[in-house]
């Protein structure tokens, strides 16, 4: 019949479909008659049809997948039979009789399926201890030695017994047995299942080896289910696992001498049992790893175990218990593996040490020497094998497997150690082995980690080490296209910057804010070091990296000023003969000189930015009382304006900055201040567009009459500025027909009149009011006229609100 034909004659897909359909039809038919007999309460007929149905599982013609489909259909029918047996049991029938009677079935496979079905009900009846029935059934199952049929039979046995084991807290515990009995049953079933699974490899012709390996992979879940059931036993504790369960499981692993089985079962052990069990038995597990077959991927097994334990340490927030020297156990195992398996590739070795480093970092967060050990070991191995990374054109990262894995190893300590990786021996050496693109990617990860943890850069040495390490972000590789050629370096042309490049430079720039030291001299040396590194980056980078360094220098100047004052006060208060505190080596003047050099270096390429920075530095110097230095900064900004700023809108923005800065500075002598504001006024008067010229000259009037008793005051120069602006406004109004410049000037006149400028008299205001009123009457209706009227009416209301002031009383209001 169908069951006697060899598995080699399984046929193609079409034949498989036909075989399955035939078998399914028989199962459905016999199942139907079985259920009809059950309804008639005819036990013997029901058993006969069940036997006929179960004979279909004797087939060798189906692939594992199709056999599984048939098996599931048979199980559906067997549930009906099990319900019938339970009904009989509740009706008073002794299950021992039924248990013995089904053993009279002629064929072994159907007999055992029926026996296990009755056995489940037999255990439920508690007529005998559960352990006795379980032991009998697991022994009986040895009657089927065909690999695939035996695997599914034992799977059915496991399902039947699943909720009937004498586990801790189970209704079958006590008289029915103990958790030890439950473990023995599952372990025995596991051992036999493993043997059957391994034997499946030797079925059929050698040319079908690949097909059989795939079939075994499909069926492996039938083996692993036993280990899952073991892990689910409530009564299984670490002691029982250590003394009984794991030794017997590992005994089966080593005894099977099969690559697929050993790989899968070791992985199962790692995945299904608790982490604290693994820690308790780590040495035993690792010893077994060294006994596995040559072709077993021990690296993958060890990596999986290390990742599992690392995740456990992270999730629980606690390190490995003191009594478990897990790192050294794993390290020794890896060392022995590398020595024993001389054919291990460098990639495999790197992956092992990457997992070990990750484990050491997560499980022993305080023991950075463990990570250092992994890095140093890899450096030694790479040197000994003479590894040379592949040559990569350009700056793109290499996808070479060894390079990628080395990069992954070097990235492991970044999250936890961030800046402390600078202290790891051989770390920089390994980083420098990487191709430029991979170094750049690693550098980005490093800076992100440093910035996320706000790790302070507290010494010049740390600064040098860090920027040497992240060199790919700071400069271009030798011989490659420089950053200048990547953007628009023609005069007046905007730089075209890649967003990724911009993000990288922003990371570098942010490190400046992490440079910290209580001693101003030490901090200045750190800034000098950073300036040296940043200076290698080319003009596209310095717009990002040097700007924060300038503001850091200004902040440092204030700190030095405070220190100098403290030193002076301490020296004055010191008793005669006492040693006065040391003055800072780097003075405030030196800090400003440092900032001036940086801004000057940027001026040609980035005139607008440099001009703003010069003025920012000028305010800092003015605040510190260094008028000569402040004067130099403003003069430099004026030179930059004259030489580099050519766009008319940029000129207006710059002049606004000049005026605001000069009004804010207070330390200039009258002579220096006059020279600077005269220059700004001259630049304003030379603007190309008349409206801008009018507005800026009017603004310059504020420079000649500053508020406060000690403020610089030249009333005549104010009048000159306003009158010049008025003439320009008259010309503009004639051509444009708008009055916005006149209304703007009305505000300026009002301001200076209220400020008490003697050159601005009531007659000037009266004349301007009359002029605007007359011009408004001639304008055509429209938005421009409406805007001008609103502005004019607001000014009139303001003047009227000052009517109590005798000075304003002299102002003649225009007639309605």
């Amino acid at each position: 019949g169908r069951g006697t034909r060899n598995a080699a004659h399984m046929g193609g897909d079409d034949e498989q479909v036909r075989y399955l359909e035939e078998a399914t039809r028989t199962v459905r038919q016999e199942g139907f008659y079985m259920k009809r007999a059950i309804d008639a309460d005819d036990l013997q007929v029901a058993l006969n049809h069940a036997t006929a149905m179960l004979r279909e599982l004797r087939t060798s013609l189906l692939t594992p997948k199709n056999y599984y489909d048939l098996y599931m259909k048979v199980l559906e029918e067997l549930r009906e039979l099990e319900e019938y047996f339970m009904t009989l049991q509740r009706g008073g029938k002794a299950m021992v009789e039924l248990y013995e009677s089904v053993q009279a079935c002629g064929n072994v496979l159907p007999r055992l399926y029926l026996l296990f079905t009755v056995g489940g009900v037999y255990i439920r009846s508690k007529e005998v201890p559960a352990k006795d029935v379980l032991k009998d059934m697991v022994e009986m199952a040895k009657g089927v030695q065909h690999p695939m049929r035996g695997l599914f039979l034992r799977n059915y046995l496991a399902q039947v017994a699943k909720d009937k084991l004498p586990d801790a807290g189970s209704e079958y515990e006590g008289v029915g047995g103990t958790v030890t009995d439950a473990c023995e049953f599952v372990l025995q079933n596991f051992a036999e299942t493993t043997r059957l699974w391994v034997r499946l490899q030797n079925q059929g012709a050698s040319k079908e080896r690949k097909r059989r390996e795939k079939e075994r992979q499909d069926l492996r879940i039938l083996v692993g289910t036993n280990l899952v059931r073991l892990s689910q036993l409530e009564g299984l504790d670490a002691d029982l696992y250590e003394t009984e369960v794991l030794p017997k499981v590992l005994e089966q692993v080593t005894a099977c001498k099969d690559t697929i089985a050993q790989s899968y079962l070791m992985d199962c052990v790692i995945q299904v049992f608790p982490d604290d069990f693994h820690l308790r038995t780590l040495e035993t597990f690792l010893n077994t790893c060294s006994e596995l077959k040559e072709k077993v991927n021990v690296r993958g097994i060890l990596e999986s175990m290390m990742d599992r334990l690392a995740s456990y340490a992270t999730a629980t927030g606690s390190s490995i218990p003191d009594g478990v020297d897990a790192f050294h156990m794993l390290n020794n195992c890896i060392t022995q593996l590398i020595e024993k398996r001389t054919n291990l590739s460098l990639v495999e070795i790197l992956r092992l040490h990457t997992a070990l480093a990750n484990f050491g970092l997560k499980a022993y967060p305080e023991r950075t020497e463990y990570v250092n050990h992994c890095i140093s070991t890899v450096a030694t191995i790479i040197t000994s094998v003479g590894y040379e990374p592949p040559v990569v054109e350009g700056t793109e990262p290499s996808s070479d497997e060894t390079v990628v894995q080395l990069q992954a190893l070097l990235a492991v300590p970044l999250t936890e150690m961030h800046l402390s990786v600078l202290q790891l021996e051989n770390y920089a050496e390994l980083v420098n082995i990487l191709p430029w693109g991979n170094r750049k990617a690693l550098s980005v990860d490093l800076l992100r980690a440093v910035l996320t943890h706000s790790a302070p850069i507290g010494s010049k040495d740390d600064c040098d080490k860090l920027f040497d390490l992240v060199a790919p972000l700071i400069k271009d590789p030798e011989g490659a296209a420089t950053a200048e050629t990547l953007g628009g370096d023609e005069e007046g042309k905007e730089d075209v910057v890649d967003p990724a490049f911009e993000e990288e430079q922003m990371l570098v720039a942010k490190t400046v804010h992490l440079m910290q030291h209580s001693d101003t001299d030490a901090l200045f040396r750190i800034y000098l070091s950073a300036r040296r590194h940043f200076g290698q980056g080319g003009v596209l980078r310095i717009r990002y990296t040097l700007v924060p360094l300038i503001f850091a220098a200004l902040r440092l100047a204030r700190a030095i000023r405070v220190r100098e004052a403290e030193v002076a006060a301490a020296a004055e208060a010191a008793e005669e003969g006492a040693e006065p505190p040391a003055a800072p080596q780097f003075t405030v003047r030196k800090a400003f000189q440092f900032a001036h050099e940086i801004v000057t270096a940027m001026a040609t390429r980035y005139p607008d930015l440099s001009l703003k920075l010069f003025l920012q530095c000028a305010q800092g110097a003015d605040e510190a009382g260094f008028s000569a230095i402040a004067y130099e900064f403003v003069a430099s900004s004026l030179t930059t304006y004259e030489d580099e700023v050519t766009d008319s809108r940029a000129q207006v923005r710059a002049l606004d900055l000049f005026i605001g800065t000069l009004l804010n500075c207070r330390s200039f002598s009258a002579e220096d201040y006059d020279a600077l504001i005269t220059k700004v006024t001259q630049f304003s008067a030379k603007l190309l567009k008349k409206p801008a010229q009018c507005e800026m000259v009017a603004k310059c009037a504020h420079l000649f009459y500053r508020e406060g008793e000690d403020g610089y005051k030249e009333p005549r120069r104010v009048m000159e500025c306003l009158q010049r602006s008025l003439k320009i406004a008259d010309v503009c109004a004639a051509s444009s027909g708008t009055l916005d410049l006149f209304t703007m000037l009305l505000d300026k006149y009002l301001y200076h009149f209220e400020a008490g400028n003697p050159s601005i008299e009531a007659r000037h205001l009266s004349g301007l009011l009359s002029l605007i009123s007359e011009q408004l009457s001639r304008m055509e209706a429209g938005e421009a006229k409406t805007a001008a009227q609103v502005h004019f009416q607001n000014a009139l209301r303001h003047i009227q609100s000052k009517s109590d002031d005798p000075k304003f009383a002299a102002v003649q209001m225009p007639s309605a």
Side-chain angles (χ1 to χ4, degrees):
R2 191 180 297 114
T4 60
R5 295 178 60 182
N6 191 285
H9 299 106
M10 284 183 178
D13 292 342
D14 292 341
E15 287 186 278
Q16 280 291 304
V17 171
R18 182 166 58 81
Y19 294 152
L20 181 59
E21 286 177 350
E22 288 178 9
T24 301
R25 188 159 50 247
T26 304
V27 168
R28 295 297 187 210
Q29 182 179 338
E30 295 297 336
F32 171 77
Y33 289 126
M34 178 191 74
K35 284 181 276 190
R36 194 161 71 174
I38 290 172
D39 292 339
D41 196 19
D42 190 335
L43 175 61
Q44 190 56 52
V45 173
L47 289 175
N48 291 340
H49 287 296
T51 302
M53 174 183 71
L54 287 164
R55 284 196 191 100
E56 293 302 312
L57 290 177
R58 296 174 64 210
T59 181
S60 299
L61 299 176
L62 296 173
T63 62
K65 180 179 181 300
N66 289 330
Y67 191 91
Y68 173 76
D69 289 344
L70 180 63
Y71 168 77
M72 293 305 294
K73 290 178 174 66
V74 170
L75 260 58
E76 288 177 22
E77 303 296 340
L78 283 179
R79 289 192 190 98
E80 297 283 346
L81 188 62
E82 183 185 24
E83 284 292 329
Y84 177 52
F85 291 159
M86 290 174 66
T87 303
L88 293 175
Q89 189 269 325
R90 287 192 293 268
K93 186 173 180 63
M95 283 297 104
V96 64
E97 295 177 10
L98 187 56
Y99 188 70
E100 291 172 355
S101 67
V102 296
Q103 296 185 43
C105 177
N107 297 121
V108 175
L109 191 67
R111 180 169 70 235
L112 291 177
Y113 271 99
L114 289 175
L115 183 71
F116 297 163
T117 306
V118 177
V121 182
Y122 193 15
I123 294 173
R124 283 183 187 276
S125 71
K126 300 182 182 176
E127 295 175 18
V128 292
K131 62 180 181 179
D132 293 343
V133 182
L134 291 170
K135 186 175 182 180
D136 186 54
M137 289 194 297
V138 80
E139 286 292 336
M140 287 285 196
K142 292 180 180 178
V144 176
Q145 290 298 312
H146 183 279
M148 190 160 70
R149 294 199 287 267
L151 277 170
F152 280 95
L153 175 66
R154 287 191 172 276
N155 180 255
Y156 181 61
L157 173 59
Q159 287 192 45
V160 166
K162 182 177 180 181
D163 57 348
K164 302 174 187 70
L165 298 176
D167 190 10
S170 163
E171 61 179 295
Y172 305 106
E173 187 187 19
V175 176
T178 65
V179 69
T180 304
D181 296 311
C183 286
E184 285 180 2
F185 168 79
V186 180
L187 283 168
Q188 189 173 347
N189 200 44
F190 163 72
E192 294 297 332
T193 303
T194 302
R195 291 190 191 101
L196 290 167
W197 185 49
V198 172
R199 280 177 49 206
L200 195 65
Q201 185 68 40
N202 302 319
Q203 297 289 109
S206 58
K207 65 181 180 181
E208 295 181 329
R209 181 182 181 84
K210 290 293 182 186
R211 178 182 62 79
R212 288 198 303 275
E213 286 182 357
K214 182 182 183 304
E215 289 177 353
R216 287 188 62 201
Q217 295 289 3
D218 292 339
L219 294 171
R220 63 184 180 175
I221 187 69
L222 301 178
V223 184
T225 302
N226 291 283
L227 295 180
V228 173
R229 186 67 193 97
L230 270 174
S231 70
Q232 292 170 342
L233 291 174
E234 292 291 336
L236 180 64
D237 57 18
D239 289 331
L240 186 58
Y241 177 77
E242 183 179 18
T243 57
E244 295 292 332
V245 174
L246 185 65
K248 291 180 180 177
V249 171
L250 295 181
E251 181 184 348
Q252 289 301 318
V253 172
T254 52
C256 72
K257 303 294 182 183
D258 179 81
T259 302
I260 295 175
Q262 289 185 340
S263 300
Y264 174 66
L265 294 176
M266 291 295 276
D267 187 58
C268 277
V269 169
I270 294 169
Q271 302 304 329
V272 304
F273 291 108
D275 299 299
D276 51 332
F277 286 16
H278 292 321
L279 288 171
R280 181 84 168 261
T281 58
L282 186 59
E283 188 170 9
T284 304
F285 182 88
L286 296 178
N287 288 339
T288 303
C289 288
S290 64
E291 298 173 19
L292 299 178
K293 289 195 69 178
E294 181 76 19
K295 291 184 179 179
V296 173
N297 182 8
V298 179
R299 189 270 309 157
I301 294 169
L302 291 174
E303 191 177 350
S304 182
M305 176 62 87
M306 287 186 281
D307 289 344
R308 177 83 191 260
L309 294 179
S311 299
Y312 165 74
T314 304
T316 58
S318 59
S319 57
I320 302 299
D322 293 337
V324 182
D325 195 2
F327 183 85
H328 285 103
M329 288 183 200
L330 288 162
N331 181 60
N332 291 339
C333 184
I334 290 171
T335 303
Q336 291 170 13
L337 180 67
I338 294 172
E339 291 173 354
K340 186 176 178 181
R341 299 197 175 183
T342 55
N343 61 340
L344 270 182
S345 68
L346 184 55
V347 172
E348 297 283 293
I349 294 171
L350 287 171
R351 289 188 65 171
L352 277 169
H353 284 91
T354 300
L356 183 60
N358 181 58
F359 168 75
L361 202 60
K362 299 287 176 59
Y364 303 93
E366 305 301 321
R367 305 290 296 273
T368 56
E369 66 267 24
Y370 288 163
V371 180
N372 191 60
H373 167 79
C374 296
I375 299 292
S376 299
T377 302
V378 168
T380 303
I381 291 171
I382 282 180
T383 302
S384 66
V385 300
Y387 172 72
E388 290 289 338
V391 177
V392 181
E393 294 294 330
T395 58
E396 287 300 310
S398 168
S399 57
D400 176 75
E401 203 174 356
T402 306
V403 169
V404 170
Q405 195 53 52
L406 178 57
Q407 183 181 334
L409 168 65
L410 295 170
V412 166
L414 298 184
T415 304
E416 301 297 329
M417 294 183 65
H418 35 88
L419 202 60
S420 299
V421 297
L422 301 178
Q423 313 308 323
L424 295 175
E425 298 172 27
N426 306 111
Y427 189 84
E429 175 190 334
L430 289 181
V431 170
N432 291 330
I433 289 175
L434 295 173
W436 194 263
N438 300 82
R439 284 183 64 191
K440 180 188 281 190
L442 185 67
S443 299
V444 169
D445 292 340
L446 171 56
L447 289 190
R448 282 180 179 152
V450 169
L451 292 165
T452 299
H453 293 83
S454 300
I457 303 171
S459 70
K460 178 183 177 297
D461 186 50
D462 279 352
C463 182
D464 286 332
K465 285 181 178 178
L466 176 63
F467 290 140
D468 284 340
L469 212 56
V470 300
L473 299 181
I474 292 176
K475 62 183 180 180
D476 296 302
E478 292 182 14
T482 61
E484 289 92 324
T485 64
L486 301 176
D489 56 357
E490 298 171 17
E491 188 174 351
K493 183 179 176 182
E494 288 291 322
D495 293 322
V496 181
V497 179
D498 175 53
F501 173 82
E502 188 169 38
E503 183 184 0
E504 292 164 4
Q505 297 314 302
M506 293 299 286
L507 288 173
V508 176
K510 288 176 183 177
T511 59
V512 173
H513 304 295
L514 299 177
M515 297 173 185
Q516 301 168 15
H517 203 288
S518 57
D519 178 46
T520 57
D521 291 337
L523 186 55
F524 195 86
R525 290 188 184 94
I526 296 173
Y527 290 158
L528 286 170
S529 174
R531 167 71 180 90
R532 178 175 59 80
H533 286 282
F534 294 164
Q536 303 172 39
V539 293
L540 276 189
R541 288 187 175 89
I542 60 174
R543 67 183 293 190
Y544 301 99
T545 55
L546 292 184
V547 173
L549 205 53
I550 293 166
F551 284 92
L554 296 180
R555 189 168 59 247
L556 178 63
R558 286 193 290 271
I560 296 173
R561 186 183 176 197
V562 170
R563 182 179 171 188
E564 287 177 338
E566 290 173 350
V567 168
E572 189 175 326
E575 297 180 5
E576 189 174 344
E579 185 71 28
Q585 179 184 346
F586 297 102
T587 61
V588 175
R589 187 180 300 276
K590 197 74 175 174
F592 283 118
Q593 182 183 343
F594 174 73
H596 190 278
E597 289 172 356
I598 296 175
V599 183
T600 302
M602 298 173 64
T604 303
R605 183 60 185 266
Y606 302 111
D608 291 356
L609 177 60
S610 299
L611 188 145
K612 293 176 187 176
L613 292 170
F614 273 132
L615 294 178
Q616 189 72 47
C617 293
Q619 290 193 66
D622 177 79
E623 181 187 327
F626 289 90
S627 60
I629 296 175
Y631 181 89
E632 181 61 32
F633 277 119
V634 177
S636 296
S637 67
L638 290 168
T639 302
T640 301
Y641 174 91
E642 194 168 15
D643 296 343
E644 306 292 346
V645 182
T646 56
D647 179 73
S648 57
R649 285 174 295 183
Q651 288 177 334
V652 170
R653 290 195 299 269
L655 290 168
D656 266 329
L657 289 171
F658 283 132
I659 294 168
T661 302
L662 290 170
L663 285 173
N664 202 41
C665 292
R666 296 290 177 180
S667 68
F668 292 127
S669 65
E671 183 180 352
D672 287 346
Y673 182 76
D674 185 80
L676 294 173
I677 62 176
T678 300
K679 196 74 171 173
V680 171
T681 305
Q682 288 171 353
F683 286 149
S684 298
K686 291 178 183 178
L687 287 171
L688 185 62
K689 295 180 180 179
K690 290 294 182 182
Q693 191 181 119
C694 170
E695 185 175 356
M696 295 314 301
V697 171
K699 286 182 178 179
C700 286
H702 291 280
L703 295 171
F704 294 99
Y705 203 86
R706 292 171 59 163
E707 295 180 358
E709 294 182 6
D710 58 344
Y712 178 90
K713 291 181 174 61
E714 282 287 342
R716 179 183 57 80
R717 304 278 292 278
V718 173
M719 176 56 76
E720 288 175 1
C721 289
L722 293 178
Q723 285 182 336
R724 182 183 180 92
S725 293
L726 202 54
K727 289 178 183 177
I728 300 170
D730 195 38
V731 174
C732 293
S735 60
S736 68
T738 59
L739 298 179
D740 51 342
L741 291 178
F742 280 128
T743 52
M744 178 273 295
L745 283 170
L746 176 59
D747 290 343
K748 300 297 182 188
Y749 270 94
L750 270 171
Y751 170 82
H752 288 288
F753 183 67
E754 280 192 69
N757 187 326
S759 293
I760 309 300
E761 301 174 2
R763 61 188 178 88
H764 296 121
L765 271 177
S766 300
L768 186 53
L769 291 170
S770 176
L771 174 64
I772 295 173
S773 178
E774 182 181 346
Q775 292 284 351
L776 272 171
S777 64
R778 296 176 185 172
M779 281 184 74
E780 294 182 5
E783 290 184 8
K785 182 174 182 178
T786 301
Q789 282 177 326
V790 170
H791 196 143
F792 186 56
Q793 290 301 321
N794 287 339
L796 292 177
R797 277 194 290 273
H798 179 73
I799 294 170
Q800 288 169 350
S801 69
K802 301 283 185 178
S803 57
D804 294 339
D805 188 337
K807 184 168 60 175
F808 275 90
V811 177
Q812 294 182 9
M813 303 293 281
S815 56

